Amino acid sequence: MTGAVVAGIPVSRETLDRLDGFVRLLTKWNSKINLVAPATIPNLWQRHIEDSAQVFALAPKDARHWVDLGSGGGLPGVVCAILATEHMPECRFTLVESDKRKSAFLMVAARELALQIDVLPIRAEDVPVQNAEIVSARALAPLPQLLAWVDRHLADGGIALLPKGKTWEEELATARVDWMFKLVSHISQTDPAARLLAIKELSRV
């Protein structure tokens, strides 16, 4: 990765240093707990950092509270929080991760990288209502199930940013049986078969 642009987002030297620091932490911890698939480590920047950064690129920059559900290894939550230190400095992040080892990693990352992050080691459905302007989730659950959790935590007028893989069309069709929403689908910059779903005005049918 060269230059000072990540997924189309201009970044400072300090932000790049934070991203590099996160990559080092992720690589170190991944040898002990499964944060990302080991086969993706050699291509970590494209597969995980840039893939997460494109979520941030779609976020409204005036948001003050961002909730990331099923944060796992901090993708996209930690990456977006790092980018937010430069581009959305007043936004606070809440990362929800029920796995205690992964939530411990997220707490270490937040502390060592000096990020505005609260980590909730609880299941998404058990977290108190967050009323967030942005809710994200990557590789957490099929869309019909995921939307129930998003709906619980998304503020009126908020946006859900949900990366989805090659089955995104089937998931979308199933979700529309029980949910109404406005959707803008963006082709993933890191996988042409994947989509980044930007969802607003979510409500049950």
Side-chain angles (χ1 to χ4, degrees), residues 79-100:
V79 174
C80 292
I82 290 171
L83 294 168
T85 60
E86 180 175 353
H87 295 285
M88 297 169 62
E90 295 185 16
C91 187
R92 64 185 177 91
F93 283 72
T94 301
L95 274 51
V96 178
E97 175 51 58
S98 62
D99 184 293
K100 297 301 186 288

Side-chain angles (χ1 to χ4, degrees), residues 26-40:
L26 189 61
T27 303
K28 177 183 176 181
W29 278 66
N30 207 61
S31 63
K32 301 174 183 177
I33 61 176
N34 188 32
L35 298 170
V36 299
T40 66

